[in-house]
Amino acid sequence: MAPPELQQGTLDLLILTTLSQGALHGWAISRRIQERSGDVLRVGQGSLYPALYRLEDRGLIKATWGISDEGRRAKFYTLGAAGRRELSRQADAWREYSGAVNLVLQGAGA
Amino acid sequence: MITPLQLLRRARALLHGRRLDREMDEEIAFHLEQETRERERLGASTDRARRDARIAFGAVERVREEGRDARGVRALYDLRGDLRYALRILRRAPVFTVVAVVTLALGIGANTAIFSVVYSVLLRPLPYPDTPSLVSVWDGGHSRAEFAGVRDQTRTLQSVAAYMPGIGVSLSGAGDPVRLTSALVTADFFNVLRVQPALGRFFRPGEDVVGNGSLVVISHALWRDRFASDSAVIGRSIEIDGVSRTVIGIARPGFSYPSSETRLWIPLELEPRKAGEFWGAYGHQIIGRLRPGVTREQARDDVLRIATQLQRDNPVWRPALPDYLQGIEVSGLQQQLVRGSQRLLYILLGAVGLVLLMACANVANLLVVRGAARDRELSIRTALGAGSARLTRQLLVEHLVLAGIGGAVGVLLAIVGVRVLVDLLPANTPRLSEVSLDAAALVFALLVTVTTGIIFGIGPARRLAKVAPAAALAGTRVSQGRTRRRMASGLVSLQIAIGVVLAVGAGLLVRSFVRILDVDPGFAAAQVVSAQVNAPRARYASAEQQRALGSQILERLSRAPGIASAAITTQLPFDQTNHLLATYVEGWTADPNKLDVFEIRKVSRDFFRTMGIPLRRGRTFDESDGPTAPRVAIVSETAMRRFWSGREVIGGQVRFPWPGWLSVVGVVADVRNNDLTGEATPAIYVPFDQDPESPFAVIAQGNGGAAATSAAIRSTVGDVAPDAPLSSERTLAALVSDSLSSPRAAALLLVSFGALALILGSVGTYGLVAYGVESRRREFAVRLAIGARRSSVMSLVIREGARLALIGIVVGVAGALALSRAIRGLLFEIAPTDPLTLVGAPLLLAVTALAACAIPAWRATRIDPNASLRRE
């Protein structure tokens, strides 16, 4: 089965969640999402960076240049206060939404 | 929703665009490196890992642009990039850029200049408050009595005034005597226009009645130049035509209605008891303000009612004419002022619009042709992920930049062009002194520029953006070349069609102008110099004084060295005045109330000899026609034919609206007055000595040239009457030439536009045919290689050009015929379907087009088959 397409809102939520545990650079974010989802979710790099820039533009995450584990210059993203608020809001909304979908699925006996 | 903070970030993003881009590149590179390393770690070879990492990432360019998109600055960023790219591209093709910019600059510049004039003369509201309510009451010239009738009986006008424009007066008592233009105005004149004085006051009601003091209002320019802007001039007396008048007010700067030369406003005296002046002097313009809510139609009906009343009350004077109630109009003052200039200006605007269309076609053509050279560049960009919309926009920006440069240069050209136009247009064009390249013209130039850029740019941009990368990169251009050539061919035919329309227009106007020049004015104007002698009225009030002044001047002048003959006349042909007098012809005028109007000139003995007007019958005036001798007259041929047909004219009796019969003693040839295209009107001449008048003009002919003759007149009049300033010193040839300024301007401007069209058309044709030869190089090489003769290759190319020219010519002639109605009113004795023009103009275009084909055709024959085929 091909990995499901991530919707924009979902990707934002995943990025925010991933960043809630500390600063990461772009490549690490995509690896982390892939690993955490047990290789189910793959973030197309083509959508990752635009999503990062969009979040940055909205003031939810901040970007700073730092040094990677290998000693290379890399751009690290961190979650700001506004980002944390947005994360908890989106996470609640998601839980509510997926819970509701689950209930429907269970009700149908699937 | 965009928050202010976001806006700030975007602004910063835009400002630091290049840095952010670099950072993005670095970030992407870092990502690819990480990915490659990861894949290597999982066992892939270095090369394979690198390749897979790239594939997994996707199109870098797209990510980059989406990244910019996400930052919300993509549009702005792209625009900046497009601009920079456009400038680079244009710099890289200097010949193309210069040709395109010059073409556009000429088109936009000419349009902006003509628009400036059209706007200033025809469209810009008059500089008076509430112009829509300002009307010309009863269009045409009227008598003071008719004005008084309207003023006293109107129900639709809140105020009404009459004026007599362009009255020359002599000002003395403030420096040297000087000749100035004044206007005679009724008391409400300034009130109707709603203008305020800069200083002092304007006339009050009743101050236009005789005996209420002699007053005058002066213009700001006169106040500045003659009175050093001294406010003490208010209340002072100045001498105008020998009459002392009190200055009561100074007009605001720039106010000079009714003509730009007006320096003085003198009350028009309304005196019903002087019936001849009150009823018989026409030429007064009547203006008024409509009452709120009143339409022009209602005002017209009102005037018609008043005119009907006048007709009932005053059967003797003009109201008695049978067609008196015909054609009464009330029109907007602005429309009425510009009516005479409208047609010429709109035709010029139309013609110059065609030139612009042609310039657009030309540049579009250049772009399409040049597109061939850009296929590769555009293909590479497409292959790198630039979308078709993106490329279209890029190209459109490029074309708008081109238009923008062309527009900027065009505005510079227009600044010069407006000055040239003001000099070239007839001096009697209203509001010509107000013409300037103002904000409206700049807005117009901007709109034209943008529209131009879109018109010539969008077609080629869309076409070019549709390149098929693989084919173009592989060097296959055949199919592209063909569609492109078809488009360019259409543009060339369009240009030739427009060229034909303009050339036909120019040809018609030139032919018409030549016809006008062929008209015999009725006198030999070559060396005759004239000057008006403006004797102060108060000091030369009596007939004896005027007669003595005339004979003294003539006596001295005819003795002056180098003067062959000299004479006096009260009206000079082509001085832009009409002296018309109601005349009764015995035996012809059955109804004593019916008026026949003659042009009247009071002339001295040698007038006909000096002017070179041939005598047809009887005699000219001589010594026997002195002040006390029996009254005599000479009539023109037209008058003889109309009023004495089948009767003996010599000895015929005529009289003016006052008692006293005159005997006709001679008939002279017709003389045109003011307008060579008009009909000759009946004219009557009476001896100056028997009925003197002032002011009058002195004319003289000498063998020392015009300047010497002019000097002789000046010194003679200066000796005889130092208090009488001279004005309008001109040669008669110059007067006649002045009357031709309108057809001359029309012909000259259309010829310029036609020439421009011819140049543009040949550049366009040349460009297309040259491109055609270039893109068919291989075909020609093959033909030559398998034995085609060079002449047949040449005729192949020429035939292609001839086909385009033919299509253009057919369309152009059809267009010229369709537009013929518009130009008819400017033509004199030439039909808009004049065969010579309709054949000649297309022929000219055809020859030009073929000449433009010749060079590329010749080049086609020089193709070296060997070298060409090896190159492919």
Side-chain angles (χ1 to χ4, degrees):
Chain A
M1 197 187 86
E5 277 284 304
L6 275 175
Q7 303 222 317
Q8 189 186 313
T10 320
L11 178 58
D12 286 357
L13 175 59
L14 293 179
I15 291 172
L16 292 175
T17 311
T18 312
L19 288 180
S20 67
Q21 280 129 40
L24 289 172
H25 51 70
W27 184 77
I29 294 173
S30 79
R31 291 297 302 168
R32 190 69 60 87
I33 291 174
Q34 197 175 333
E35 282 165 12
R36 288 279 191 83
S37 67
D39 253 5
V40 174
L41 299 177
R42 280 174 197 267
V43 184
Q45 284 81 353
S47 44
L48 172 70
Y49 287 96
L52 285 172
Y53 299 144
R54 204 162 33 241
L55 290 171
E56 192 187 350
D57 181 54
R58 286 169 61 196
L60 300 177
I61 58 174
K62 264 197 250 70
T64 42
W65 285 91
I67 303 298
S68 75
D69 299 343
E70 292 89 1
R72 286 263 285 122
R73 209 170 100 91
K75 202 174 180 184
F76 287 88
Y77 293 90
T78 50
L79 207 57
R84 272 181 212 291
R85 273 197 304 278
E86 179 68 13
L87 170 61
S88 76
R89 199 186 60 73
Q90 280 199 20
D92 287 348
W94 176 259
R95 274 184 213 106
E96 199 176 323
Y97 170 77
S98 59
V101 172
N102 276 332
L103 280 176
V104 173
L105 289 175
Q106 283 160 13
Chain B
M1 261 299 288
I2 293 179
T3 66
L5 205 64
Q6 232 166 342
L7 211 62
L8 197 72
R9 258 197 298 274
R10 281 182 195 178
R12 207 177 49 213
L14 187 66
L15 284 175
H16 302 296
R18 204 183 301 200
R19 206 196 66 207
L20 290 176
D21 259 10
R22 251 200 332 267
E23 290 185 3
M24 193 152 65
D25 286 349
E26 191 178 341
E27 192 172 16
I28 292 170
F30 173 75
H31 184 108
L32 290 173
E33 204 176 293
Q34 292 287 316
E35 187 73 26
T36 309
R37 198 167 300 168
E38 177 71 10
R39 283 169 194 271
E40 272 180 307
R41 198 172 59 78
L42 294 174
S45 72
T46 309
D47 278 352
R48 170 116 201 148
R50 191 171 293 142
R51 215 179 123 235
D52 287 351
R54 277 193 180 276
I55 290 169
F57 193 87
V60 173
E61 183 62 26
R62 218 188 84 218
V63 172
R64 235 185 237 156
E65 291 197 343
E66 278 179 18
R68 284 185 206 130
D69 241 353
R71 291 206 308 254
V73 296
R74 178 163 169 194
L76 289 168
Y77 185 88
D78 283 353
L79 186 67
R80 214 181 58 169
D82 286 349
L83 281 176
R84 199 176 297 146
Y85 188 74
L87 287 173
R88 201 165 60 220
I89 288 282
L90 294 178
R91 250 203 320 268
R92 214 184 287 156
V95 175
F96 161 79
T97 306
V98 167
V99 171
V101 163
V102 168
T103 303
L104 290 170
L106 287 173
I108 295 171
N111 273 273
T112 306
I114 298 271
F115 174 82
S116 288
V117 174
V118 167
Y119 180 76
S120 305
V121 172
L122 302 182
L123 305 176
R124 187 198 289 152
L126 293 174
Y128 313 116
D130 189 23
T131 32
S133 72
L134 197 55
V135 290
S136 155
V137 183
W138 208 346
D139 294 353
H142 296 280
S143 65
R144 299 175 194 197
E146 287 165 316
F147 159 70
V150 173
R151 183 192 59 187
D152 298 341
Q153 299 177 42
T154 181
R155 293 168 187 164
T156 52
L157 301 165
Q158 48 177 309
S159 57
V160 57
Y163 61 89
M164 176 78 97
I167 305 291
V169 292
S170 308
L171 169 68
S172 43
D176 299 332
V178 63
R179 191 71 185 164
L180 297 169
T181 301
S182 71
L184 303 181
V185 303
T186 59
D188 253 355
F189 176 78
F190 296 101
N191 185 24
V192 167
L193 295 173
R194 291 193 192 148
V195 288
Q196 302 300 320
L199 209 63
R201 64 174 181 89
F202 288 147
F203 303 118
R204 296 197 180 116
E207 286 184 339
D208 46 11
V209 174
V210 180
N212 276 0
S214 297
L215 309 175
V216 64
V217 169
I218 64 175
S219 77
H220 201 272
L222 182 64
W223 182 52
R224 189 192 55 212
D225 298 343
R226 298 288 289 195
F227 302 99
S229 302
D230 179 7
S231 56
V233 74
I234 302 287
R236 230 176 87 183
S237 281
I238 58 175
E239 196 169 298
I240 295 164
D241 276 345
V243 174
S244 166
R245 292 183 178 272
T246 308
V247 178
I248 58 164
I250 291 145
R252 290 244 169 103
F255 179 82
S256 64
Y257 190 83
S259 81
S260 57
E261 287 84 42
T262 311
R263 296 288 175 271
L264 301 158
W265 291 270
I266 298 168
L268 179 69
E269 289 172 350
L270 299 169
E271 178 47 271
R273 278 165 301 179
K274 290 188 189 166
E277 192 180 73
F278 195 64
W279 282 98
Y282 308 121
H284 299 84
Q285 311 288 321
I286 309 178
I287 56 173
R289 283 278 179 185
L290 295 176
R291 288 208 168 128
V294 169
T295 65
R296 282 184 214 145
E297 288 68 35
Q298 288 168 323
R300 198 221 22 239
D301 294 344
D302 192 28
V303 173
L304 188 62
R305 178 184 61 81
I306 296 164
T308 315
Q309 186 66 38
L310 287 171
Q311 194 170 40
R312 258 204 300 278
D313 296 348
N314 302 282
V316 184
W317 298 90
R318 198 163 69 163
L321 290 176
D323 60 352
Y324 186 63
L325 299 177
Q326 303 293 308
I328 290 180
E329 283 300 333
V330 172
S331 43
L333 183 59
Q334 180 153 14
Q335 288 91 303
Q336 201 265 340
L337 286 179
V338 301
R339 198 168 287 158
S341 314
Q342 230 162 351
R343 185 192 299 273
L344 173 62
L345 289 179
Y346 279 132
I347 283 183
L348 291 181
L349 194 61
V352 87
L354 285 179
V355 170
L356 184 63
L357 195 57
M358 194 151 174
C360 284
N362 215 5
V363 176
N365 211 339
L366 286 172
L367 287 173
V368 170
V369 166
R370 197 175 71 106
R374 295 189 61 185
D375 274 357
R376 267 183 88 81
E377 167 213 336
L378 295 170
S379 312
I380 290 168
R381 297 196 61 194
T382 307
L384 286 178
S388 153
R390 178 81 184 71
L391 280 188
T392 306
R393 202 184 51 203
Q394 154 73 51
L395 289 165
L396 199 55
V397 165
E398 217 174 292
H399 300 162
L400 283 172
V401 167
L402 202 56
I405 300 173
V409 179
V411 167
L412 295 181
L413 288 180
I415 294 172
V416 181
V418 164
R419 283 195 210 133
V420 173
L421 276 173
V422 168
D423 283 346
L424 203 59
L425 286 170
N428 62 5
T429 308
R431 311 178 75 189
L432 208 53
S433 57
E434 297 172 35
V435 171
S436 62
L437 197 74
D438 58 4
L442 290 179
V443 169
F444 173 84
L446 186 67
L447 282 178
V448 167
T449 302
V450 173
T451 316
T452 307
I454 291 172
I455 288 178
F456 78 70
I458 199 133
R462 288 180 51 184
R463 181 155 302 278
L464 288 176
K466 266 191 233 145
V467 290
L473 286 174
T476 326
R477 310 199 310 214
V478 182
S479 68
Q480 273 296 326
R482 200 163 288 157
T483 46
R484 199 165 278 155
R485 225 161 52 209
R486 201 170 305 137
M487 178 165 170
S489 300
L491 289 172
V492 164
S493 292
L494 175 69
Q495 286 185 58
I496 292 178
I498 296 173
V500 168
V501 171
L502 287 173
V504 166
L508 288 173
L509 286 172
V510 168
R511 299 248 302 141
S512 160
F513 186 61
V514 170
R515 285 278 164 95
I516 297 173
L517 288 181
D518 278 348
V519 174
D520 177 10
F523 53 87
Q527 287 297 316
V528 182
V529 175
S530 73
Q532 183 161 313
V533 178
N534 305 289
R537 264 166 223 173
R539 251 170 275 149
Y540 295 86
S542 73
E544 287 73 30
Q545 285 166 327
Q546 294 167 1
R547 187 183 300 125
L549 176 64
S551 50
Q552 277 173 39
I553 290 174
L554 281 186
E555 202 176 303
R556 284 185 73 135
L557 188 57
S558 48
R559 282 204 319 261
I563 297 296
S565 68
I568 279 174
T569 176
T570 50
Q571 199 266 340
L572 205 57
F574 290 88
D575 70 353
Q576 299 308 316
T577 67
N578 284 297
H579 292 201
L580 300 173
L581 194 58
T583 306
Y584 302 81
V585 178
E586 193 194 40
W588 160 261
T589 320
D591 179 353
N593 287 331
K594 190 177 175 306
L595 305 177
D596 286 304
V597 176
F598 281 61
E599 271 177 19
I600 179 161
R601 298 190 184 96
K602 300 170 180 179
V603 301
S604 66
R605 278 199 301 274
D606 283 340
F607 175 76
F608 301 103
R609 185 162 69 89
T610 310
M611 291 284 286
I613 301 172
L615 180 72
R616 301 288 194 224
R617 306 276 288 274
R619 64 171 178 90
T620 57
F621 300 135
D622 58 29
E623 298 80 7
S624 66
D625 304 315
T628 54
R631 307 281 309 271
V632 291
I634 289 172
V635 297
S636 68
E637 269 184 302
T638 295
M640 176 183 77
R641 269 197 300 275
R642 189 171 306 170
F643 302 111
W644 282 275
S645 80
R647 297 191 296 142
E648 177 49 51
V649 56
I650 304 297
Q653 299 290 302
V654 294
R655 81 174 173 82
F656 301 122
W658 41 86
W661 291 95
L662 290 72
S663 300
V664 176
V665 295
V667 177
V668 292
D670 282 329
V671 166
R672 307 274 171 159
N673 191 19
N674 298 339
D675 180 9
L676 284 175
T677 63
E679 298 270 304
T681 48
I684 188 163
Y685 300 85
V686 298
F688 182 81
D689 277 354
Q690 291 190 344
D691 190 5
E693 188 181 301
S694 179
F696 53 78
V698 174
I699 57 170
Q701 192 165 14
N703 41 30
T709 309
S710 199
I713 294 177
R714 226 173 300 134
S715 76
T716 304
V717 176
D719 287 350
V720 175
D723 53 352
L726 285 177
S727 65
S728 325
E729 287 175 60
R730 303 296 303 270
T731 65
L732 242 63
L735 281 179
V736 174
S737 168
D738 283 353
S739 82
L740 297 174
S741 57
S742 181
R744 189 189 299 123
L748 207 58
L749 285 168
L750 246 90
V751 165
S752 320
F753 298 157
L756 199 53
L758 216 57
I759 294 170
L760 292 180
S762 35
V763 169
T765 314
Y766 170 80
L768 176 81
V769 177
Y771 165 66
V773 167
E774 193 48 42
S775 66
R776 290 167 75 187
R777 173 178 282 273
R778 194 164 66 161
E779 176 201 330
F780 289 142
V782 171
R783 279 172 190 269
L784 289 170
I786 60 177
R789 271 182 316 200
R790 295 194 179 268
S791 65
S792 73
V793 166
M794 184 153 180
S795 79
L796 206 65
V797 176
I798 299 264
R799 220 179 301 143
E800 167 75 6
R803 196 177 60 85
L804 298 182
L806 194 66
I807 297 172
I809 283 169
V810 170
V811 174
V813 170
L817 286 175
L819 291 172
S820 65
R821 243 166 50 101
I823 206 171
R824 192 188 295 267
L826 288 185
L827 299 181
F828 172 70
E829 287 184 359
I830 287 280
T833 52
D834 176 48
L836 190 65
T837 312
L838 283 182
V839 171
L843 207 61
L844 183 65
L845 263 290
V847 169
T848 315
L850 288 182
C853 295
I855 300 169
W858 178 79
R859 205 176 291 149
T861 66
R862 313 309 303 165
I863 290 173
D864 176 359
N866 261 331
S868 286
L869 290 174
R870 206 170 295 137
R871 203 179 67 177
E872 289 286 333

